[in-house]
Amino acid sequence: MKALESKAPLIVYIDIKSPYAFAAIRPTLALEQSLDMHFDWRPLTLDIPSYLGSARKSKGKLVESTRSASQWDRVKYAYRDARRYVERQGMMLKGTEKIWDSSIANIGILWAMQTDRYRLGAYLETIYPPFWRRELNIEDVDVVEACLEQAGLDSNGFATFQQGEGRDQHDAMQAQLHPSGIYGVPTYVFDGTILFGREHLPFIRWHLQGRQGPAPDIAYELDSVEPVSC
């Protein structure tokens, strides 16, 4: 699997622990459904400490941090920015108390795509909102399995998959991303074009519908956003 290539009309890179990806999930699913297309959803597991430092809280109090003041400013802005759009969708976004290893939950994306891609939207709905309400431990394989089951997916074999074949696929994909020019989420890829951020969804719609008329400017408005039923 190559980072910029797919048989699908659009590749969508996301990370469960990204607030920006969280704000983009329902609008992107709504676009996929309205166009009656199947996008190629893939995980990008962010290495946040490499560019924003690390930090950990306990009961709301900071107990460990390697972040500079400017890094804290960037983190706080990112949460404020994403929260605006998450709350407009009727959901909650609480800042996390540590930097999570989201790889198991992200491998769940690969599992859903390979076992029953029609349930992928339901899986994202079962894991994203509760995680951002601080209700899920996404580092626990049993928790991720429960989310898969809740979404209507068969989780039998997932524990082995996330340690073996799925982990290998995930790690091989991550190694390709930066060299291919993909650095954050959500990132959308079509015909070798890389677009970062959900504000590009109107342009992506225009492209996928045949590029008729003038290209739209970036915008955040896109259809009414409804939860995906399980």
Side-chain angles (χ1 to χ4, degrees):
M1 183 182 297
K2 296 184 178 181
L4 302 182
E5 296 181 9
S6 176
K7 294 180 180 179
L10 184 72
I11 304 172
V12 184
Y13 284 100
I14 57 173
D15 185 357
I16 302 299
K17 71 173 178 288
S18 164
Y20 283 127
F22 180 30
I25 293 302
R26 288 185 179 177
T28 307
L29 287 169
L31 177 63
E32 182 180 45
Q33 184 176 29
S34 69
L35 296 179
D36 194 23
M37 292 180 175
H38 294 153
F39 297 163
D40 186 350
W41 296 76
R42 301 179 182 180
L44 187 167
T45 301
L46 296 166
D47 180 9
I48 293 175
S50 69
Y51 60 95
L52 282 177
S54 62
R56 182 172 62 87
K57 293 182 178 180
S58 178
K59 298 180 181 179
K61 294 184 178 180
L62 185 66
V63 295
E64 179 182 318
S65 175
T66 65
R67 285 176 175 157
S68 66
S70 64
Q71 287 174 324
W72 272 115
D73 287 342
R74 290 165 62 190
V75 170
K76 291 175 182 177
Y77 175 80
Y79 277 111
R80 287 197 301 269
D81 193 28
R83 188 174 290 117
R84 292 186 190 103
Y85 301 103
V86 167
E87 290 179 348
R88 287 190 62 195
Q89 297 174 42
M91 298 182 292
M92 180 184 297
L93 190 158
K94 293 183 177 181
T96 60
E97 295 203 315
K98 71 170 190 173
I99 297 174
W100 291 84
D101 177 0
S102 53
S103 61
I104 296 175
N106 286 343
I107 292 171
I109 296 168
L110 296 175
W111 178 264
M113 289 294 292
Q114 293 173 30
T115 59
D116 187 353
R117 68 96 50 226
Y118 294 98
R119 309 304 300 171
L120 185 277
Y123 170 64
L124 298 178
E125 192 67 30
T126 63
I127 201 164
Y128 261 109
F131 171 70
W132 286 100
R133 294 194 301 264
R134 297 185 187 164
E135 296 172 359
L136 289 185
N137 176 2
I138 59 170
E139 295 175 352
D140 186 332
V141 66
D142 292 336
V143 170
V144 176
E145 284 183 326
C147 290
L148 290 167
E149 292 286 343
Q150 185 181 345
L153 287 149
D154 183 358
S155 68
N156 184 36
F158 176 73
T160 301
F161 179 80
Q162 63 87 25
Q163 288 182 318
E165 180 185 354
R167 175 66 59 176
D168 291 343
Q169 291 177 18
H170 169 275
D171 292 353
M173 187 178 300
Q174 306 315 301
Q176 292 185 54
L177 297 179
H178 285 192
S180 299
I182 300 171
Y183 301 99
V185 290
T187 287
Y188 304 93
V189 180
F190 59 83
D191 298 340
T193 298
I194 301 169
L195 299 174
F196 169 69
R198 67 187 281 267
E199 64 268 29
H200 295 290
L201 286 173
F203 181 87
I204 292 167
R205 173 188 284 279
W206 171 80
H207 168 77
L208 295 177
Q209 288 184 314
R211 304 174 75 93
Q212 298 177 9
D217 196 358
I218 60 172
Y220 278 94
E221 299 297 339
L222 178 77
D223 295 341
S224 58
V225 214
E226 299 293 339
V228 178
S229 59
C230 300

